[in-house]
Amino acid sequence: MHYMSLSRVAIAMDIGGTNLRYAVVDENAKILAKGVQQTSESDGKEAVVARILDSAKTAVSWAETKPIAIGLACASPVNPITGVMQMPPNILSLQGYSPIKDLQENLGLPVVVANDATLAALAEYKFGLKKSVANMVYLTLSTGVGGGQIIDGKMHNGSRGFAAEWGHLTLDFNGYKCNCGSTGCFETYCSGPSIIRIAETMLSETSVESTLNQHLENLTPLKIASAARQGDRFSIELWDKIGSYLGVALSVILNTLDPEVIVIGGGVSSALDLMMKAADQEIKTRALYPYDNDIPVVSAKLGDEAGLIGAAALAFDNIN
């Protein structure tokens, strides 16, 4: 992999519940080279740590100039100083682990770490919205539901790295059990796996004909979205139901932080148009500010790369 880059580069890594992505990124958020490995809960801590170190070494070997640092995005609340992952709901084996020491010792580069959705918020703020606002909230609807926020132009971690964990907003305290140990979290309604579970439950309880019955073995949010776009009544109603939950969560965020915009990313966000009609209804009912026709919700621009770009941005912002 050869490319000419005159600007400084950073190594960016995104440690998620399903994938471990790694890349060489320059200061303009351009990804110069990238790779991906699977992460699996069944691997255990040693295997996951070995994979992180291995990926970092590979990424460093691609860089033409010495990287200034390694920026890490983790699918977990992360202590902004120590890098310790607290309660990573989808990579439980890394509970209490900080990757900083291992990476610094093995690669001799400074390491900075933050929550993946917080870093995606930073990336969408700097390179998606191009800093056109001062206050924004970012939500990712994927394996889980994550969040990040920019307040007065700055990334907001909170005092312990737990800020913006919107996925664990309780929407129904008698609701489904969540990986975090609570019940009825936003994540148990609007994450990919939750949408599939709700679809399966509703299909088993209804006599309504649906084209989804042909896909029962391997339902995905994309298949449910595509059925809805082709006019499948059941799927349209399912997205309305998910959209209502999304709208309740968005109303809480609007009433709490009053952001100029809420940016929604993650795999499930490709069905945002199917959810927004019901979500709009909830916001009009529940949000205090009278959003007449301009509910400030937009789709993310950077896709799957947002965590990586944010991790690189964190490295450039912190290393002079």
Side-chain angles (χ1 to χ4, degrees):
M1 295 207 183
H2 284 285
Y3 49 83
M4 286 306 293
S5 174
L6 299 171
S7 75
R8 302 187 303 164
V9 300
I11 301 303
M13 299 181 73
D14 186 349
I15 305 170
T18 318
N19 289 315
L20 166 62
R21 304 171 196 275
Y22 46 100
V24 182
V25 186
D26 75 9
E27 287 184 89
N28 302 315
K30 190 165 185 265
I31 292 178
L32 304 169
K34 65 175 177 176
V36 64
Q37 292 201 40
Q38 302 278 283
T39 47
S40 157
E41 193 42 68
S42 56
D43 287 347
K45 181 178 167 183
E46 270 65 42
V48 179
V49 172
R51 206 162 292 170
I52 291 168
L53 293 174
D54 178 57
S55 303
K57 284 179 183 144
T58 304
V60 170
S61 75
W62 291 335
E64 302 239 308
T65 52
K66 188 180 174 186
I68 59 142
I70 299 173
L72 233 60
C74 299
S76 165
V78 180
N79 182 302
I81 317 274
T82 62
V84 170
M85 293 186 223
Q86 307 282 357
M87 292 189 55
N90 303 304
I91 27 174
L92 298 166
S93 61
L94 296 185
Q95 162 66 25
Y97 172 70
S98 168
I100 293 180
K101 191 164 161 284
D102 285 341
L103 280 166
Q104 281 178 344
E105 283 176 2
N106 279 272
L107 292 145
L109 291 169
V111 180
V112 287
V113 190
N115 169 261
D116 56 357
T118 301
L119 290 175
L122 179 66
E124 290 287 347
Y125 173 65
K126 285 182 90 156
F127 302 105
L129 297 170
K130 306 211 177 344
K131 299 187 180 177
S132 57
V133 300
N135 296 286
M136 70 164 276
V137 168
Y138 171 81
L139 282 178
T140 173
L141 312 179
S142 56
T143 314
V145 171
Q149 57 214 25
I150 301 290
I151 295 177
D152 295 336
K154 292 192 171 59
M155 190 168 89
H156 183 71
N157 287 310
S159 59
R160 299 174 192 87
F162 277 79
E165 283 294 333
W166 295 110
H168 301 288
L169 193 63
T170 301
L171 297 185
D172 176 359
F173 53 74
N174 297 316
Y176 303 107
K177 236 187 133 12
C178 182
N179 284 346
C180 76
S182 182
T183 50
C185 291
F186 178 17
E187 181 167 299
T188 67
Y189 297 99
C190 296
S191 68
S194 301
I195 291 167
I196 294 163
R197 188 201 56 237
I198 292 167
E200 288 169 346
T201 307
M202 283 171 64
L203 279 169
S204 69
E205 290 168 357
T206 178
S207 54
V208 176
E209 277 305 300
S210 168
T211 53
L212 293 183
N213 285 314
Q214 304 151 20
H215 302 291
L216 275 182
E217 294 307 298
N218 51 5
L219 272 187
T220 63
L222 282 177
K223 283 180 185 161
I224 304 170
S226 130
R229 294 203 170 94
Q230 284 156 23
D232 180 63
R233 275 287 354 129
F234 174 87
S235 303
I236 292 168
E237 281 171 23
L238 176 73
W239 286 114
D240 277 345
K241 183 184 168 87
I242 304 294
S244 296
Y245 284 110
L246 176 65
V248 174
L250 293 176
S251 305
V252 173
I253 294 171
L254 291 166
N255 287 345
T256 309
L257 286 176
D258 187 23
E260 286 155 89
V261 62
I262 297 176
V263 176
I264 301 185
V268 177
S269 70
S270 62
L272 193 57
D273 56 317
L274 298 167
M275 295 185 266
M276 276 317 288
K277 193 171 103 240
D280 282 2
Q281 280 313 112
E282 295 297 339
I283 291 168
K284 290 210 159 73
T285 307
R286 296 167 192 279
L288 297 176
Y289 180 81
Y291 296 101
D292 299 327
N293 297 311
D294 54 348
I295 290 169
V297 174
V298 301
S299 290
K301 292 198 168 61
L302 305 176
D304 284 350
E305 328 268 51
L308 282 176
I309 292 171
L314 183 72
F316 288 119
D317 287 353
N318 279 281
I319 311 290
N320 296 320

